[in-house]
Amino acid sequence: MRLLVKYANRLLCQTAAPVPLRQKASAAATGSLKLATSAQTEPERANKQDSPLTDTFGRHHTYLRISLTERCNLRCDYCMPADGVPLQPKDKLLTTEEILRLARIFVEQGVRKIRLTGGEPTIRRDIVDLVAEMKALPQLEHVGITTNGLVLTRLLLPLQRAGLDSLNISLDTLQKDRFEKITRRKGWERVIAGIDLAVQLGYRPKVNCVLMRNFNEDEVCDFVEFTRDRPVDVRFIEYMPFSGNKWHTDRLISFKETVELIRQRWPEFEALPNGPNDTSKAFAVPGFKGQVGFITSMTEHFCGSCNRLRLTADGNIKVCLFGNKEFSLRDAMRSNVSEEDLVDLIGAAVRRKKRQHAAFSPRHAEPLADGKSPNDTDRRLADTSRPSTIASAALFHHHLHSHRSQLLQAARHCSSLSHVNAQGKAQMVDVGEKPTSMRLAQAEATVLVGERLTQLIAANELAKGDVLSVAQLAGIIGAKRTSELIPLCHNIPLSSVKVQAQPLANEQCVRLEASVRCTGQTGVEMEALTAVSIAALTVYDMCKAVSHDICITNIRLLRKSGGKRDYQRREQS
């Protein structure tokens, strides 16, 4: 199984290095490297609260990490077995076109920095082309990469020509024998050569080192010494234990302990200024060309300023490294949803981001409640069932389509109805002569799920993902597609679709309510009813792995207004 350490090493670290060969190297002469922060324009400040990339705590996400592959050319013993791990079929992974499409959508919504990760991203044959295509995206300011450095001496120059702005290099030891033992591969010299080549080409690479007690704590000062003559940023990452890796919290070496160890040799070791979204606490030894950073994900989390999102190789958006709740953008794209719906899905995921990660208590370093690793491979092995955002809508559409002929045949015997002409053939009602007005409809549905599922849904602990947000989005998509699902319904441009999903503990159910509005010549009650129906089916789809004892009931119109006859449901006393 892959362990969290590798993904902490590759995914958790933020890079804010200046653009190579595009800025003057004056910082190298000062003896320390100051981390740059992206400038933000006034329009961006004004609009970010309305952006789908802004969560409910006001954090605006401008940084996206994209995993290009699950594969790796190392076999680190804390990361995977010697013979590797099972990989997903190629058709389950994002294609190059899908990666670039999602990158463009994220940039259009406000992402300004993209980091390419893995697995090991440099084993992608089209890595250079991917960097070039992303650098061509308007408004994208920065493209970086996180790599193990094995092939940098061959690829770095082409990557730089393609526009690569920065790179992180994972290296947990400066000892050749120890490197070969832990990675089960040769290549330590190539990694060091890659770091030196990056410096020669004008980069200021970050060297990511996960500190582990009884493994490399004796190299802390060696890594600091590594910054004496090299303008690099060595970043010590706190080891993140969890129950799945069978390692214990005593392997954690805290930020404060590491600083004290360094100051025993360099008492003048001093803190440097940090940017508002920096994950790393910057330090340096005066006179050294490089600097040292500390990523304190365990002892001093930085969730309050987190501006990062992640896209897995199989197309799931993750809003937190520690979270196991994901949304499949791949499935949505392959179901031909509109880009507007994709943006809605992204926004729904971001809005469900918690105030801070709950994987560990900073004080006690408690493991994940379910004992699972939040990295891609462990998640895939533990749960092979992945929900499609609009699977329920597709199922509903298929069901109605298969019965359309029966519906039309029945209509022939109802020639007195407005949907049937004088010859007994189905027709749409002509609404061309009706006045245009503001039309509003509200509908509700109830999904009886039982006590256990109500608790799991409320706590957002179902393995398939966030039931409430996915149901809300599916309901919105369903409302927009009512004319495709219900024969003879008009295709109405909707002004607004709102779907609310609320678990009710006392009633052991999920209550769904939809409000649909348009300005037009016909009402939207069918759109409201379709929205709650699709949302209810989605709740069932995402909960059926736990129990099939689920009942969808009470689908009904609550009120409508704006037409010839308004309606308001009156509850029976």
Side-chain angles (χ1 to χ4, degrees):
M1 297 175 76
R2 291 178 183 263
L3 301 184
L4 180 58
V5 175
K6 194 68 171 181
Y7 275 78
N9 203 14
R10 296 195 176 187
L11 297 178
L12 189 63
C13 313
Q14 177 187 12
T15 295
V19 178
L21 299 187
R22 293 186 178 94
Q23 295 179 345
K24 296 181 180 180
S26 58
T30 66
S32 64
L33 305 180
K34 309 296 183 182
L35 298 182
T37 56
S38 299
Q40 189 179 52
T41 64
E42 290 302 325
E44 286 175 328
R45 290 192 184 98
N47 298 331
K48 69 179 184 179
Q49 292 302 321
D50 299 326
S51 168
L53 301 186
T54 300
D55 66 17
T56 56
F57 303 100
R59 294 172 297 200
H60 187 57
H61 297 76
T62 59
Y63 183 3
L64 174 67
R65 295 185 180 119
I66 302 177
S67 175
L68 298 182
T69 179
E70 297 177 322
R71 299 178 181 274
C72 186
N73 47 5
L74 293 180
R75 292 292 181 269
C76 299
D77 63 7
Y78 60 75
C79 181
M80 67 174 71
D83 55 353
V85 296
L87 300 173
Q88 292 195 84
K90 185 176 180 180
D91 62 356
K92 297 294 185 182
L93 304 180
L94 291 177
T95 66
T96 298
E97 293 73 20
E98 288 170 335
I99 291 172
L100 291 174
R101 182 188 181 194
L102 288 174
R104 174 181 58 78
I105 290 173
F106 274 98
V107 170
E108 289 173 352
Q109 298 307 313
V111 162
R112 294 296 174 260
K113 178 177 180 179
I114 290 178
R115 175 162 297 281
L116 304 178
T117 67
E120 172 49 44
T122 59
I123 68 175
R124 285 272 306 222
R125 294 182 179 180
D126 59 352
I127 179 65
V128 175
D129 293 335
L130 275 168
V131 170
E133 292 283 349
M134 289 184 184
K135 285 297 294 182
L137 293 173
Q139 297 183 293
L140 183 60
E141 300 169 0
H142 191 106
V143 176
I145 190 171
T146 296
T147 173
N148 59 30
L150 278 181
V151 297
L152 277 182
T153 52
R154 174 171 58 85
L155 276 181
L156 188 52
L157 189 56
L159 284 170
Q160 186 180 60
R161 290 170 177 165
L164 184 71
D165 294 300
S166 67
L167 69 159
N168 286 23
I169 302 169
S170 302
L171 183 64
D172 297 325
T173 177
L174 293 174
Q175 299 179 20
K176 177 183 175 181
D177 293 344
R178 186 176 286 178
F179 176 90
E180 293 178 0
K181 180 179 179 180
I182 195 170
T183 65
R184 303 188 182 98
R185 296 291 187 272
K186 297 183 181 298
W188 179 85
E189 296 91 343
R190 281 185 286 159
V191 177
I192 298 300
I195 295 172
D196 290 337
L197 176 61
V199 171
Q200 293 171 17
L201 292 178
Y203 290 99
R204 292 166 177 168
K206 288 179 169 56
V207 178
N208 296 335
C209 172
V210 178
L211 283 181
M212 293 166 278
R213 199 177 305 277
N214 301 323
F215 171 67
N216 60 358
E217 77 269 34
D218 59 331
E219 295 187 65
V220 167
C221 289
D222 294 337
F223 273 103
V224 177
E225 184 67 31
F226 195 73
T227 69
R228 180 186 295 273
D229 300 316
R230 293 180 177 89
V232 300
D233 180 5
V234 169
R235 304 198 305 178
F236 294 121
I237 303 170
E238 287 183 341
Y239 168 70
M240 291 174 281
F242 61 98
S243 58
N245 64 14
K246 299 180 182 179
W247 287 0
H248 303 289
T249 56
D250 58 4
R251 301 209 68 168
L252 168 67
I253 305 174
S254 72
F255 153 62
K256 292 182 178 179
E257 181 181 354
T258 309
V259 170
E260 291 175 359
L261 178 62
I262 295 171
R263 282 179 171 161
Q264 290 178 9
R265 180 166 174 181
W266 292 284
E268 67 276 23
F269 188 62
E270 61 182 6
L272 301 175
N274 296 292
N277 295 116
D278 289 348
T279 60
S280 177
K281 303 180 189 300
F283 284 73
V285 177
F288 282 23
K289 291 183 178 181
Q291 69 182 47
V292 176
F294 297 89
I295 298 179
T296 59
S297 48
M298 286 301 302
T299 59
E300 298 179 21
H301 71 78
F302 35 81
C303 301
S305 61
C306 180
N307 68 336
R308 300 153 195 82
L309 301 172
R310 293 172 178 82
L311 186 63
T312 64
D314 56 354
N316 286 291
I317 177 175
K318 283 179 67 71
V319 297
C320 177
L321 173 65
F322 289 93
N324 63 349
K325 306 299 182 289
E326 302 177 1
F327 295 77
S328 178
L329 302 183
R330 176 204 65 197
D331 290 348
M333 284 192 298
R334 294 180 184 179
S335 298
N336 296 318
V337 303
S338 67
E339 290 200 358
E340 179 184 0
D341 292 331
L342 278 174
V343 172
D344 287 342
L345 177 57
I346 292 167
V350 172
R351 286 192 298 274
R352 296 295 291 180
K353 185 170 183 175
K354 298 182 182 299
R355 181 182 294 274
Q356 68 185 56
H357 66 70
F360 302 99
S361 163
R363 188 172 296 175
H364 302 294
E366 296 172 353
L368 286 167
D370 57 7
K372 294 178 182 177
S373 162
N375 69 63
D376 291 342
T377 304
D378 275 356
R379 185 186 60 255
R380 185 178 70 253
L381 295 176
D383 180 14
T384 58
S385 176
R386 295 183 178 274
S388 170
T389 304
I390 63 168
S392 298
L395 177 63
F396 193 41
H397 179 273
H398 174 75
H399 175 74
L400 289 174
H401 180 76
S402 67
H403 291 282
R404 186 168 293 175
S405 59
Q406 291 96 319
L407 291 170
L408 295 178
Q409 184 177 4
R412 293 191 183 100
H413 303 289
C414 304
S415 58
S416 62
L417 298 178
S418 60
H419 284 76
V420 181
N421 64 15
Q423 289 74 40
K425 294 184 178 181
Q427 67 175 9
M428 292 181 69
V429 175
D430 187 350
V431 298
E433 300 301 322
K434 289 187 176 183
T436 298
S437 62
M438 177 71 73
R439 311 286 185 126
L440 174 68
Q442 290 179 290
E444 71 171 359
T446 301
V447 187
L448 303 175
V449 295
E451 181 179 6
R452 182 189 177 202
L453 273 171
T454 303
Q455 293 173 348
L456 290 173
I457 292 169
N460 195 12
E461 292 180 349
L462 276 170
K464 277 193 173 184
D466 189 333
V467 173
L468 301 180
S469 291
V470 176
Q472 288 174 311
L473 185 65
I476 293 171
I477 295 173
K480 293 178 180 179
R481 295 186 173 182
T482 300
S483 63
E484 301 173 29
L485 303 175
I486 309 296
L488 309 181
C489 275
H490 293 82
N491 185 6
I492 305 173
L494 303 179
S495 304
S496 171
V497 180
K498 296 180 180 178
V499 178
Q500 295 180 341
Q502 181 181 10
L504 301 177
N506 292 339
E507 301 176 30
Q508 299 180 11
C509 70
V510 175
R511 185 176 184 275
L512 302 160
E513 184 172 316
S515 176
V516 182
R517 187 176 72 248
C518 81
T519 301
Q521 295 170 300
T522 186
V524 287
E525 55 263 39
M526 289 308 301
E527 283 71 13
L529 287 164
T530 302
V532 294
S533 300
I534 296 296
L537 285 169
T538 302
V539 172
Y540 181 92
D541 178 57
M542 297 189 71
C543 294
K544 68 181 188 293
V546 177
S547 171
H548 287 91
D549 189 16
I550 300 171
C551 179
I552 298 174
T553 185
N554 202 34
I555 300 176
R556 58 183 185 171
L557 182 68
L558 296 177
R559 62 188 61 85
K560 75 181 186 74
S561 62
K564 185 177 180 180
R565 292 181 297 274
D566 290 349
Y567 172 81
Q568 176 71 47
R569 178 172 293 277
R570 291 183 175 86
E571 297 294 341
Q572 294 182 350
S573 58

